[in-house]
Amino acid sequence: MNGLGIEINNKALLRQALHHPSAGGENYERLEFLGDAVLKLIISDILYKKYPDYREGDLTKIRSIVVSDQILSEIAAELDLDIECDAHLRGTQSILACAFEAVLGAYYLDGKTDELYIVLEKLFTPYFDDVDKNFQKYNAKAVLQEYTQGLNKELPVYKVVEEAGPAHEKMFTVEVCYNDKPLARGTGRTKKEAEQNAAAAACEGLI
């Protein structure tokens, strides 16, 4: 069992936070609900103080990306959270993200809000400026869709063209097409990440 490196008094809460529904018994879903709110509140407070001149829309834009499954799963993977779930689900982006939020909920109920603030600020700070300066990279799918719909209402189509590596360390290659014409390819540890990278490459070539 592991968490964020914060001492927890109620270890049963942490065990629950790392227990996926596929493993049976009491699982992380309720804690995830709570942790999602805790995460957004703390990240909102950090962003509010970090960017005092930014408007609400700018802060919301950054927050929407840094609390996305893509980034939460990256952080959860770095923390090597020991999630109890069916073997074929291990490493799934959504499960990693949900378990991370559930862990936050567990620490919140254990009264560790101040410690959470310090840890989350450290974990997320590297992402804030990167997202702020490179928003298109993180939101490339939305940017590309808006561009293509402005041309003729058609949507980009993404397809996996290659999977490589063992099950727990797969790399996906995705090709994005528009009007049956290939635009670009991208790779990533998840299909979603590969799609974002493909969309970013397409944006560079089209927009």
Side-chain angles (χ1 to χ4, degrees), residues 19-25 27-29 84:
H19 197 94
H20 184 261
S22 66
N27 60 65
Y28 64 41
E29 290 178 331
E84 188 175 354

Side-chain angles (χ1 to χ4, degrees), residues 15-190:
R15 283 193 293 271
Q16 182 183 342
L18 295 169
H19 197 94
H20 184 261
S22 66
E26 197 169 21
N27 60 65
Y28 64 41
E29 290 178 331
R30 282 174 53 83
L31 287 172
E32 176 204 347
F33 165 78
L34 180 60
D36 174 69
V38 172
L39 175 66
K40 287 177 179 174
L41 176 60
I42 293 178
I43 294 298
S44 296
D45 187 74
I46 294 171
L47 290 173
Y48 186 85
K49 294 171 180 174
K50 181 176 176 62
Y51 301 105
D53 299 325
Y54 279 27
R55 300 171 65 88
E56 179 267 345
D58 297 319
L59 297 174
T60 299
K61 180 179 74 172
I62 298 173
R63 187 186 64 187
S64 69
I65 298 299
V66 298
V67 301
S68 67
D69 280 3
Q70 178 184 343
I71 288 181
L72 296 188
S73 64
E74 288 178 11
I75 292 174
E78 291 172 5
L79 293 171
D80 194 25
L81 295 183
D82 186 16
I83 304 167
E84 188 175 354
C85 64
D86 283 352
H88 73 282
L89 297 174
R90 197 171 303 279
T92 303
Q93 186 181 75
S94 61
I95 291 177
L96 285 168
C98 290
F100 178 78
E101 290 179 332
V103 167
L104 300 185
Y107 279 118
Y108 173 79
L109 290 177
D110 202 55
K112 300 300 191 299
T113 306
D114 292 341
E115 292 90 337
L116 277 180
Y117 192 105
I118 294 170
V119 170
L120 291 180
E121 187 170 30
K122 180 179 178 180
L123 288 173
F124 282 88
T125 290
Y127 290 98
F128 293 145
D129 288 337
D130 188 42
V131 170
D132 185 35
K133 295 174 182 176
N134 303 289
F135 183 70
Q136 180 171 297
K137 178 182 75 173
Y138 288 95
N139 203 37
K141 288 181 68 175
V143 172
L144 182 61
Q145 179 175 316
E146 182 178 350
Y147 174 77
T148 57
Q149 284 188 304
L151 296 177
N152 64 359
K153 304 301 182 183
E154 293 295 324
L155 296 175
V157 176
Y158 298 86
K159 60 180 179 181
V160 177
V161 295
E162 184 181 353
E163 295 183 24
H168 65 287
E169 290 183 351
K170 271 193 179 298
M171 288 296 293
F172 297 90
T173 299
V174 167
E175 183 175 72
V176 57
C177 300
Y178 174 64
N179 280 344
D180 297 321
K181 176 185 176 182
L183 298 179
R185 290 188 175 190
T187 60
R189 291 183 298 174
T190 64

